[in-house]
Amino acid sequence: MSPGFFIGVLSAEAISQVAIGLFFGVAYWLVQCEAEYLVFALLSWSVALISGGIAWGVARGPEIFPHSAAVTHVGGVLCISLHLMFVALFVRVRSIRPYALTAVLVTTMYLAFILGGFWWRPTALTRLGRGWPISATIPELRGEVTLVGASFYLISGIFALISLIALIRAYRSNVREAGVVLGGGALAIAATANDSLVVVGWLKNHYLIPHVFMLYSFLVALSLLMRYQRASRGLVVTATTLKERSEELRRSYADLEDVQRELVTKKQLAAVGELAAAIAHEVRNPLAIIVNAVAGLRRPTCSDPDRITLLGIVDEETGRLNRLVTDLLRFARPVTVRRAAVGLHELAKRAEWRGDESHEIIVELPDEPELRTVQADANLLRLVFDNLVSNACQSMPNGGQIRIAISRGNLAGRDCVRIDVIDQGQGMDEQVLSRAIDPFFTTRPSGTGLGLPIVQRIIEAHGGAVEIDSELGRGTIVSLLLPMDPDALGANLA
């Protein structure tokens, strides 16, 4: 084997190792794969330093030995820490990571020793290769290492053993690709041991790391393919499972829609039935009273005073039926809002004039002009005020004070006009308050239970909201929240 051929092989291997490093680096950058492959790219470039350094030393001879040996050993020192870091990332075992960090610190220290000239003793150079007859013509050189340099070879053996143990544990943990890397790692560790013994003079042989690393690189690339093959199979299984679950979810959703439609139908029927029962109950009592009164009027013995009394009863119950039908039509009919500028001062004063002698109505208006007018339907707001004032008066049969306070409020994050109707009546307990808006629910013998539901429908048609705060024995506050500007009103209605 001629020196030229040997130098060509080493140079070709150095170029290949640089290309391998580029492959793993580009693969990591393009597909964002695991970090261990980026570390392996750095490891490949470090081995390229070893190959290039040996080729340089063989080509140029003893005069550049200190420089070629420094390049070779810089690559070797980097390889030790990078290989342990690669294994730590590859097997994903946290217990080995402290060793990898220790190797980085050791590498930094030994790099300083190499660059500082503490690695070799200034002695005569020895030609290597006498163990191989075919290499007798290749002038490989070896210098005499110091104790500092010799200690590195011992430490590198320890780190190599740690890497081997970690790969064995990973393979035994059923990590298939670890077996492939384990084979290449074992060869690389054996080559490291060979080269270390060659350098210290205990073995007369060639350096093997540049040659073995080519096989090691191939096996690591194969592990990359195996890992992604396993990941792709896992993705196929996951996609199949997800498709099955999606189909199950689609069927469940369809079943849920059927159940929901059925539930809505039953709820509507229940609401219609409840409404019909409430109407029948409200109508039956006045009709029964009217029937009894008419029967009394038909008696020949009915006196004039009794006849007047019975006619008054018929008139009262007929009016009650008329109010019930009127409120029912108001509640059932769609609310059509004809907006215009409505002065709250006039509405409040009108409500004040409707009060009787036993009830005092106090109107509190702010000084802010924008709180005195709203864009609303005047007729509908009059109905709202009439209902609320009527309810407040009926809650205080012995008289009392009713306050109508207008102020600035907040509705869905926007400024609004807040109208509070406050009475000093008996108030409501929690059970009655929770049903205050329910149609036909009333605690008054002559009430229809549609006043507050009508108020709520009108205010919501204006894009507002109704709030009720009441405490038993302390009175009730009914708050109306109305948007100030037409844009906010339109947004709420939409």
Side-chain angles (χ1 to χ4, degrees):
M1 181 187 296
S2 66
F5 179 78
F6 186 69
I7 294 171
V9 170
L10 287 173
S11 300
E13 287 179 340
I15 295 173
S16 300
Q17 288 149 6
V18 171
I20 291 171
L22 288 174
F23 165 76
F24 281 101
V26 171
Y28 171 81
W29 180 66
L30 288 178
V31 299
Q32 292 296 305
C33 60
E34 290 82 356
E36 56 261 35
Y37 295 107
L38 178 61
V39 175
F40 194 82
L42 299 176
L43 178 60
S44 301
W45 294 329
S46 299
V47 176
L49 287 177
I50 298 175
S51 303
I54 295 174
W56 187 27
V58 172
R60 300 295 299 274
E63 64 274 11
I64 54 92
F65 174 79
H67 305 295
S68 64
V71 172
T72 301
H73 280 76
V74 166
V77 170
L78 291 174
C79 281
I80 295 301
S81 60
L82 289 172
H83 183 260
L84 188 56
M85 189 182 300
F86 165 73
V87 172
L89 293 171
F90 185 84
V91 300
R92 291 178 172 82
V93 177
R94 292 185 178 273
S95 59
I96 196 177
R97 293 186 180 180
Y99 296 104
L101 295 177
T102 303
V104 172
L105 296 177
V106 171
T107 296
T108 304
M109 180 180 64
Y110 278 103
L111 285 175
F113 291 154
I114 294 173
L115 298 177
F118 301 104
W119 202 278
W120 306 100
R121 289 194 178 97
T123 59
L125 302 179
T126 303
R127 190 173 113 175
L128 302 181
R130 287 177 293 177
W132 291 0
I134 62 172
S135 66
T137 59
I138 301 175
E140 292 185 66
L141 302 174
R142 176 180 65 83
E144 186 176 354
V145 297
T146 63
L147 290 177
V148 172
S151 65
F152 169 76
Y153 303 122
L154 176 62
I155 294 175
S156 65
I158 295 173
F159 286 148
L161 183 61
I162 294 173
S163 302
L164 188 63
I165 293 173
L167 288 171
I168 293 174
R169 289 178 59 185
Y171 178 69
R172 294 180 62 181
S173 300
N174 202 27
V175 180
R176 291 178 54 198
E177 59 269 21
V180 177
V181 178
L182 176 61
L187 292 175
I189 291 170
T192 301
N194 171 83
D195 293 1
S196 299
L197 294 175
V198 169
V199 172
V200 298
W202 292 3
L203 186 65
K204 302 182 185 305
N205 205 345
H206 279 297
Y207 297 115
L208 298 179
I209 287 181
H211 315 300
V212 172
F213 187 78
M214 301 301 296
L215 176 61
Y216 191 25
S217 302
F218 170 76
L219 294 177
V220 172
L222 181 60
S223 74
L224 177 64
L225 295 177
M226 292 175 63
R227 176 170 290 184
Y228 276 91
Q229 182 185 30
R230 185 179 64 178
S232 62
R233 289 177 180 175
L235 287 175
V236 170
V237 173
T238 302
T240 304
T241 304
L242 183 61
K243 185 177 180 180
E244 293 174 354
R245 296 294 183 270
S246 300
E247 182 62 24
E248 292 177 2
L249 184 62
R250 188 192 63 79
R251 290 196 297 267
S252 300
Y253 184 73
D255 294 340
L256 181 61
E257 282 187 329
D258 294 338
V259 173
Q260 188 174 10
R261 281 195 294 268
E262 184 178 355
L263 181 62
V264 169
T265 302
K266 290 182 178 180
K267 187 176 181 180
Q268 290 174 344
L269 291 176
V272 171
E274 184 179 355
L275 181 62
I279 294 173
H281 175 74
E282 295 296 329
V283 171
R284 182 179 293 148
N285 290 336
L287 285 179
I289 294 173
I290 292 174
V291 169
N292 290 333
V294 171
L297 289 172
R298 287 176 177 174
R299 290 200 303 267
T301 58
C302 181
S303 62
D304 290 339
D306 291 340
R307 183 177 293 105
I308 293 174
T309 301
L310 292 174
L311 288 174
I313 292 173
V314 171
D315 185 62
E316 179 182 352
E317 295 303 321
T318 303
R320 180 180 175 186
L321 285 175
N322 184 56
R323 289 194 303 275
L324 175 62
V325 172
T326 301
D327 288 347
L328 182 61
L329 290 175
R330 285 174 178 168
F331 177 73
R333 186 186 299 119
V335 179
T336 302
V337 179
R338 295 179 176 85
R339 300 182 190 88
V342 179
L344 295 178
H345 176 77
E346 289 76 12
L347 289 178
K349 287 297 182 182
R350 179 178 178 275
E352 183 179 359
W353 297 333
R354 290 175 60 86
D356 53 30
E357 295 180 355
S358 62
H359 296 94
E360 180 186 7
I361 301 178
I362 300 175
V363 179
E364 299 176 0
L365 290 170
D367 294 333
E368 302 178 63
E370 59 182 349
L371 298 181
R372 291 174 172 264
T373 305
V374 293
Q375 293 291 327
D377 190 310
N379 293 327
L380 294 177
L381 284 190
R382 289 192 192 99
L383 179 60
V384 168
F385 273 81
D386 290 346
N387 277 331
L388 294 181
V389 171
S390 175
N391 286 347
C393 291
Q394 293 179 29
S395 68
M396 299 184 294
N398 298 324
Q401 187 181 84
I402 301 171
R403 291 173 49 222
I404 301 177
I406 300 173
S407 61
R408 184 183 297 272
N410 184 278
L411 177 63
R414 294 175 177 265
D415 286 341
C416 69
V417 177
R418 182 184 184 95
I419 305 171
D420 295 324
V421 180
I422 307 167
D423 65 53
Q424 299 174 339
Q426 298 178 351
M428 296 178 281
D429 57 23
E430 293 184 1
Q431 183 177 2
V432 174
L433 182 60
S434 64
R435 298 193 59 191
I437 306 295
D438 292 350
F440 298 105
F441 176 79
T442 180
T443 56
R444 300 196 304 268
S446 60
T448 62
L450 291 174
L452 285 178
I454 291 173
V455 168
Q456 185 183 38
R457 290 202 65 197
I458 292 175
I459 297 301
E460 287 181 351
H462 282 79
V466 178
E467 297 178 355
I468 303 177
D469 184 18
S470 184
E471 186 176 350
L472 193 62
R474 293 196 176 184
T476 300
I477 303 175
V478 179
S479 301
L480 310 178
L481 304 177
L482 290 171
M484 287 185 178
D485 55 283
D487 293 337
L489 181 62
N492 279 280
L493 288 174

